[in-house]
């Protein structure tokens, strides 16, 4: 597909995807979702990519769903637009590789929902977070009502959802919405460094971790522990990456994955 909104650079196993529609604060339209679905499929098929980073161009990460595109929709079309975004953001969790949001500026509405679909979030001190949908007479439609309470707890989630307050990066860090906050000029360097650290670890272990943690929170602890034991065991044995990692430690050398 020919990409107009997404710019992707791949180097050293890290794909940096920049959402680039800065005149509209990177607002999410149908074209964005089509491009992102296509890009996720391409990256899924590329075994050289070990981590994906998503960021935004200009002063916004993403300032929400495209209000101009949504305003004339009827009920069924609104529901379909909600489903479109839910599916795209869920696809980040289903990717076998980690997906990091590098939040450079406004992450509002659908933009915060996009960031919450990623595995974790690194923010610039200039980032602003919020779910302003109620100001428009709406509610979040890209799984924000479901992901926010799971990430930050019921009280902080309902506060943000009901007040539409925008919070800064330090508050986002405090409630667990961001995992790291850095100066704006250090954002991409930090995100790439974190991605590089992850990319240097056992690739199979990273993929299994993502799957077990994400599947585990949606099941019972007993089932989650069964899944963990199963996947733990699968890393042992001749030719397995766990065997190589442990052997390399004992032989005081770097593992060869
Ligand atoms: N959609 C469309 N255009 C937008 C959006 C948006 N979400 N955000 C900003 N823009 C446009 C502005 O209209 C403006 O365009 P123009 O230059 O043509 O007038 C341009 O971007 C620049 O914006 P501002 O002039 O407003 O820039 P400021 O720096 O003054 O303000 C803000 C920046 C604070 C980000 C401000 O633009 C703003 O409040 N934006 C809207 C934020 C918002 O309400 N987001 C939530 C949208 S609803 C949503 O995301 C629901 C998700 C679920 C959908 C479910 C599907 C049905």
């Amino acid at each position: 597909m020919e990409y107009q909104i997404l710019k992707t650079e791949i180097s050293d196993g890290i794909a940096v995807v920049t959402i680039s529609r800065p005149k509209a604060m990177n607002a999410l339209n149908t074209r964005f979702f089509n491009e992102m679905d296509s890009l996720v499929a391409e990256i899924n098929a590329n075994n050289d990519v070990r981590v994906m980073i998503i960021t935004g161009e200009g002063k916004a990460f993403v300032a929400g769903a495209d209000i101009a595109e949504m305003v004339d929709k009827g009920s069924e079309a609104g529901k379909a637009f909600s489903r479109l975004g839910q599916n795209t953001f869920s696809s980040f969790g289903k990717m076998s590789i980690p997906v990091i949001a590098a939040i450079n500026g406004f992450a509002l509405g659908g933009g915060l929902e996009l960031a919450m679909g990623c595995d974790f979030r690194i923010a610039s001190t200039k980032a602003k977070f919020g779910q302003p949908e109620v100001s428009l007479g709406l509610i979040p439609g890209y799984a924000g009502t479901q992901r926010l309470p799971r990430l930050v707890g019921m009280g902080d989630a309902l506060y943000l959802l009901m007040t539409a307050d925008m919070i800064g990066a330090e508050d986002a860090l405090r409630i667990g919405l961001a995992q790291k906050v850095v100066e704006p000029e250090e954002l991409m360097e930090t995100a790439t460094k974190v991605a590089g650290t992850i990319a240097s670890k056992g690739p199979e272990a990273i993929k299994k971790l993502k799957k077990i943690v994400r599947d585990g929170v949606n099941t019972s602890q007993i089932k989650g522990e069964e899944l963990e034991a199963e996947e733990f065991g699968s890393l042992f044995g001749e030719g397995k990456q766990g065997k190589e990692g442990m052997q390399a430690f004992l032989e005081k050398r770097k593992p060869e994955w």
Side-chain angles (χ1 to χ4, degrees):
M1 155 170 218
E2 196 191 311
Y3 293 94
Q4 292 170 3
I5 296 173
L6 299 181
K7 296 179 184 164
T8 306
E9 279 179 33
I10 300 178
S11 83
D12 298 329
I14 299 166
V16 177
V17 179
T18 304
I19 303 166
S20 178
R21 217 187 145 213
K23 281 189 186 143
M25 296 272 166
N26 302 328
L28 308 172
N29 56 11
T30 301
R31 169 136 206 127
F32 162 84
F33 289 113
N34 292 339
E35 288 193 14
M36 189 54 102
D37 290 347
S38 165
L39 186 64
V40 166
E42 272 181 36
I43 291 182
N44 281 339
N46 184 342
N47 287 330
D48 295 334
V49 178
R50 292 202 182 168
V51 183
M52 177 163 115
I53 299 172
I54 303 177
T55 192
E57 185 174 327
K59 72 182 202 186
F61 173 70
V62 167
D66 191 325
I67 298 169
E69 183 177 330
M70 288 191 297
V71 66
D72 290 325
K73 287 193 192 300
S75 206
E76 279 307 310
K79 184 175 168 186
F81 199 47
S82 166
R83 281 294 190 197
L84 182 70
Q86 286 177 346
N87 287 337
T88 302
F89 298 164
S90 288
S91 75
F92 301 158
K94 289 178 192 146
M95 290 176 87
S96 62
I97 59 167
V99 182
I100 303 171
I103 303 174
N104 51 302
F106 293 108
L108 302 177
L112 181 51
E113 294 172 293
L114 187 164
M116 290 192 290
C118 298
D119 292 313
F120 57 85
R121 288 144 293 281
I122 299 175
S124 138
T125 51
K126 283 197 176 154
K128 297 263 183 247
F129 301 74
Q131 294 285 173
E133 285 85 349
V134 289
S135 303
L136 302 169
L138 297 173
I139 60 171
Y142 299 148
T145 61
Q146 303 307 302
R147 288 210 172 90
L148 193 58
R150 284 170 170 81
L151 279 175
V152 304
M154 189 73 84
D156 283 325
L158 282 174
Y159 177 87
L160 286 171
L161 290 163
M162 289 175 168
T163 61
D165 269 4
M166 252 194 250
I167 60 169
E170 288 302 331
D171 278 338
L173 184 68
R174 179 180 55 78
I175 64 173
L177 198 45
Q179 280 57 62
K180 216 174 179 50
V181 174
V182 296
E183 292 302 323
E185 58 278 11
E186 291 166 10
L187 178 65
M188 291 318 291
E189 191 189 321
T190 305
T192 308
K193 204 169 151 201
V194 171
T197 299
I198 295 170
S200 74
K201 309 297 183 195
E204 283 303 314
I206 296 291
K207 287 180 183 175
K208 286 178 191 293
L209 262 183
K210 173 161 173 169
K211 184 171 165 38
I212 299 165
V213 172
R214 281 192 169 269
D215 289 353
V217 293
N218 291 320
T219 185
S220 68
Q221 170 135 0
I222 292 171
K223 287 219 170 85
E225 288 187 18
E226 277 169 18
L227 190 61
E228 181 189 78
E230 194 67 40
E231 298 291 8
F232 185 77
S234 76
L235 290 164
F236 285 73
E238 274 321 310
K240 299 290 173 60
Q241 291 184 349
K243 173 86 171 179
E244 166 60 10
M246 291 189 284
Q247 208 147 29
F249 174 82
L250 295 173
E251 292 168 8
K252 302 189 189 307
R253 61 173 174 83
K254 275 195 158 183
E256 284 175 35
W257 309 121

